[in-house]
Amino acid sequence: MIYFHKMADQLSGITVVIFIAFGVLTCILLFLFGKRQIARFSLKTRKGPHMPVGYSASKFVYMEIERRLERVKNITHEPVLLKEEEDLLFKTFKPIFPMHLYRMKAVDTLIKLENCLKDADPTYQRFQGQDLCMSLLQAVHKGVLKNCDPKPIRQFVDLYQSARHAPKIFDQEQFSEYMKLLSFILNRHWSIIQ
């Protein structure tokens, strides 16, 4: 009986040590797993590359890479959607076209408006992601569209947004209203002719 009692005391000491070892091991594994998950999520949500650009390049090359990458966010390109032949159809004939052609012509017309604004004031530029309404209203306040009423500009922008993004109908009626507002902005309050 005494033998079993000594053995039970020894086993309880060994089991305590084993439990402590398993607890420490579990804490270490949980720490490593948590650290790995945090690193994984931070790399996943980071917007840049996983390695710095120009990691082993000289300082001059690194600065040139950074300069060019900063210029990329200001580059915008609006493609011309209608070919010249299709554009001539709008000028010569007045039949009823499919609605997507009216939408395409409205987007192309905005590109021409922005080119006219750039010709009048070389400092005018709508940056990528900048709101069209805010850009045109800034042009009103800065002088390119000086003395132009903001109300037709807002109506023009609303029709443009409808043509470009809205799923509702954009047909000849909306397109003619869009063009009237455009000519009103260009001819009445502004000295530049299309």
Side-chain angles (χ1 to χ4, degrees), residues 120-148:
D121 183 12
T123 61
Y124 172 80
Q125 182 180 9
R126 182 168 64 104
F127 295 106
Q128 183 177 4
Q130 185 180 12
D131 186 38
L132 175 64
C133 186
M134 294 305 294
S135 173
L136 291 176
L137 289 177
Q138 283 177 355
V140 168
H141 296 301
K142 288 185 179 177
V144 180
L145 294 173
K146 199 172 193 179
N147 299 326
C148 186

Side-chain angles (χ1 to χ4, degrees), residues 58-74:
S58 66
K59 185 176 181 181
F60 174 74
V61 174
Y62 177 76
M63 296 301 285
E64 181 66 19
I65 290 170
E66 287 294 319
R67 183 186 68 80
R68 289 185 182 193
L69 287 175
E70 284 296 316
R71 286 185 58 206
V72 168
K73 66 182 174 186
N74 296 330

Side-chain angles (χ1 to χ4, degrees), residues 30-44:
L30 286 175
F31 173 74
L32 291 176
F33 180 74
K35 183 179 176 187
R36 181 177 171 269
Q37 289 296 82
I38 290 170
R40 191 176 127 232
F41 286 130
S42 67
L43 285 176
K44 197 182 235 184

